[in-house]
Amino acid sequence: MPEYNTLDDLEPGQRVLVRVDLNSPVEDGVVQDNNRFDRYAETVAALAEDDHKVVLMAHQGRPGRDDFVSLDQHAEILEGYVGKPIDFVDDIYGDDAIDAIEGLDAGEILLLENTRMADDELPEKPAEEHAESEFVQTLAPLFDAFVNDAYSAAHRAHASTVGFAVELPTYAGLVMDKEYQYNTSVAEKEFDGQVTMLCGGNKSEDVISVVNNLEEKVDTFLVGGLPGELFLRAEGEPVGMDVGGMDLLDDQWEETKDTLEDLVENRRDDFELPVDFAYEDENGERAEISLEDIDEKETGYLDIGHETIEAYEPIIRESEAVFVKGAVGVFEDERFADGTVELIEAIGETDCFSVVGGGDTARTLSLYGLDEDDYDHVSIAGGAYLNALTGQELVVVDVLKKYA
Ligand SMILES: Nc1ncnc2c1ncn2[C@@H]1O[C@H](COP(=O)(O)OP(=O)(O)OP(=O)(O)O)[C@@H](O)[C@H]1O
Ligand SMILES: O=C(O)[C@H](O)COP(=O)(O)O
């Protein structure tokens, strides 16, 4: 039994403030649909069905980034999944928000503006300090209960994720409960056979964290994406540096080179690294180059090549369990999706125990028509999934338990 309250404990017909996580990729200002909407629709529909007045809070991007946009498009996308109107107000705790909240009837749903547009939201602080903020003090009296369903933001101690638990009776939502139970049980699971982790993405620190923390659990790490190049750079190969206006690798290299060099020197048998790469040629087509033919990096590498895919695939097929954290290429571009799609597809074809995680990576399934049912669990979380797998605490879950 969880040590926090769930929706089973919530009496129907209340004024409920709900924190969800609809943080999504944004391309040219357009919010991209992804499986977070689909998952949260279940919680939102269940609450509306129970005659609650449902007010949703969520964040998008971070101040200063291109993906820091309003939630108006999110309301429209979510409405499509919930099948009921979702009102949007471009305010968080000002007069317009208060009027919209007070105007709701039972079973109606309202989405507030991007919580990160409020000054009080972002500093990481203990729940009790966030509870003192104007944000929390203004909104909390308008509600009977707080539901926290934002599992993928459960590693962030922000006003909207931890502050309201101090002021209101607090419940874990359906997504929070399921993801927490599942990812925690996975961290504790024992396997007899080979355990493999496919990792990539654009943050080498994430991959270093799994390689360091899951040494006992994972036999082989199959590395791709930007971390794949950085591990090779640590071995002295001529890849893993920024070229042609790219600004992704050199800073990460400076921050992580000592650890990467230590890993390739002392734990080289634990991971497999790319032997070829895909890049965009002068005609805009996918082309591939073998690592041994690279004397000097001249272009950005956007996927692992097919030799690498062929080397990684049999390791996946003979595994008893496979975990995924991060894409091995820029899968959002069809030309550079082969590595990520073919390897995740191979995982789905075997009967191994499998978990696909990473907020972006999980999107591969819907983009390329892979069936979620072929995997034991598809997590919509990135950082929080990583924390759970590596046994680190999730501040939001601690708060849910403390204020249960
Ligand atoms: N070679 C590459 N060059 C540039 N970007 C890459 C490369 N390989 C993968 N990526 C990008 O990495 C991103 C996935 O990154 P990351 O691993 O951080 O995400 P995640 O684990 O799915 O989720 P989260 O961001 O929630 O932690 C994808 O958007 C993909 O395009
Ligand atoms: O998408 C995510 O991983 C979560 O929403 C957390 O977002 P953040 O890394 O910007 O805090």
Side-chain angles (χ1 to χ4, degrees):
M1 284 295 286
E3 304 152 58
Y4 45 71
N5 300 316
T6 66
L7 295 193
D8 293 339
D9 305 306
L10 181 64
E11 294 293 325
Q14 306 207 56
R15 298 171 302 165
V16 182
L17 181 63
V18 189
R19 178 58 157 98
V20 293
D21 184 2
L22 302 175
N23 194 29
S24 301
V26 177
E27 286 170 21
D28 300 326
V30 180
V31 174
Q32 305 295 302
D33 195 353
N34 63 86
N35 52 358
R36 286 187 176 171
F37 289 96
D38 188 11
R39 295 279 174 90
Y40 283 113
E42 207 185 319
T43 303
V44 175
L47 290 169
E49 198 64 28
D50 266 354
D51 286 334
H52 296 295
K53 296 176 180 179
V54 184
V55 177
L56 307 173
M57 291 187 296
H59 74 273
Q60 173 61 52
R62 272 181 185 254
R65 291 209 203 141
D66 289 350
D67 64 351
F68 184 56
V69 299
S70 165
L71 296 189
D72 55 350
Q73 299 174 62
H74 300 67
E76 257 177 63
I77 302 173
L78 186 62
E79 189 172 278
Y81 285 101
V82 176
K84 288 190 82 159
I86 298 185
D87 286 338
F88 169 73
V89 58
D90 62 350
D91 189 17
I92 306 165
Y93 58 89
D95 290 345
D96 290 348
I98 294 168
D99 286 350
I101 293 166
E102 289 182 335
L104 280 183
D105 282 330
E108 288 186 339
I109 307 159
L110 171 72
L111 175 64
L112 303 178
E113 183 55 288
N114 187 347
T115 54
R116 290 187 179 173
M117 291 181 178
D119 291 341
D120 291 343
E121 168 73 342
L122 268 182
E124 293 264 342
K125 282 197 288 201
E128 294 72 16
E129 276 182 47
H130 272 308
E132 299 298 318
S133 65
E134 196 184 340
F135 180 0
V136 175
Q137 288 297 320
T138 308
L139 285 190
L142 307 177
F143 295 93
D144 305 307
F146 174 58
V147 172
N148 197 333
D149 211 19
Y151 177 80
S152 39
H155 53 318
R156 306 284 186 223
H158 296 157
S160 67
T161 61
V162 296
F164 290 94
V166 181
E167 299 292 312
L168 289 165
T170 294
Y171 305 80
L174 300 175
V175 174
M176 174 71 78
D177 188 35
K178 186 171 172 212
E179 287 265 13
Y180 175 71
Q181 299 286 348
Y182 211 94
N183 295 333
T184 310
S185 75
V186 163
E188 287 159 3
K189 235 175 159 78
E190 298 287 336
F191 300 97
D192 294 331
Q194 149 129 350
V195 178
T196 300
M197 185 151 201
L198 179 66
C199 35
N202 48 21
K203 295 170 227 147
S204 63
E205 262 181 42
D206 281 3
V207 174
I208 289 171
S209 169
V210 288
V211 172
N212 279 335
N213 288 297
L214 298 177
E215 184 176 0
E216 300 291 314
K217 181 167 216 96
V218 175
D219 300 297
T220 307
F221 296 90
L222 306 175
V223 189
L226 297 183
E229 269 195 73
L230 288 167
F231 271 85
L232 287 167
R233 182 168 174 180
E235 280 198 315
E237 298 287 356
V239 294
M241 53 286 292
D242 289 328
V243 291
M246 197 185 190
D247 184 19
L248 286 164
L249 287 155
D250 288 337
D251 288 349
Q252 293 199 52
W253 171 249
E254 288 309 319
E255 279 161 28
T256 56
K257 69 176 173 193
D258 293 343
T259 318
L260 291 168
E261 281 168 354
D262 181 56
L263 284 170
V264 295
E265 195 175 324
N266 297 310
R267 294 202 28 219
R268 187 61 184 86
D269 290 347
D270 292 352
F271 39 87
E272 298 290 329
L273 299 178
V275 291
D276 63 344
F277 293 97
Y279 61 94
E280 181 179 11
D281 70 11
E282 61 278 10
N283 302 317
E285 308 276 330
R286 177 187 175 109
E288 297 195 359
I289 185 162
S290 207
L291 179 63
E292 57 190 26
D293 294 332
I294 302 171
D295 296 324
E296 194 183 331
K297 187 175 173 188
E298 287 171 356
T299 183
Y301 299 126
L302 301 171
D303 193 10
I304 55 173
H306 278 88
E307 265 183 75
T308 309
I309 300 173
E310 277 164 34
Y312 286 4
E313 205 176 308
I315 301 173
I316 287 172
R317 291 195 186 276
E318 70 202 21
S319 298
E320 189 190 330
V322 184
F323 300 95
V324 180
K325 172 65 181 85
V328 294
V330 182
F331 68 88
E332 297 90 340
D333 182 332
E334 220 170 311
R335 296 168 301 168
F336 302 105
D338 289 6
T340 306
V341 173
E342 288 179 30
L343 294 175
I344 292 182
E345 204 165 23
I347 298 168
E349 282 165 12
T350 69
D351 56 7
C352 69
F353 177 84
S354 57
V355 186
V356 179
D360 290 312
T361 312
R363 216 175 133 227
T364 316
L365 275 68
S366 51
L367 275 181
Y368 294 96
L370 306 182
D371 188 350
E372 282 205 16
D373 292 344
D374 290 339
Y375 308 86
D376 288 84
H377 181 55
V378 177
S379 176
I380 55 169
Y385 163 72
L386 199 68
N387 277 29
L389 283 187
T390 54
Q392 293 167 59
E393 64 167 25
L394 287 170
V395 60
V396 165
V397 177
D398 288 348
V399 168
L400 280 172
K401 289 178 180 174
K402 182 170 174 189
Y403 288 97

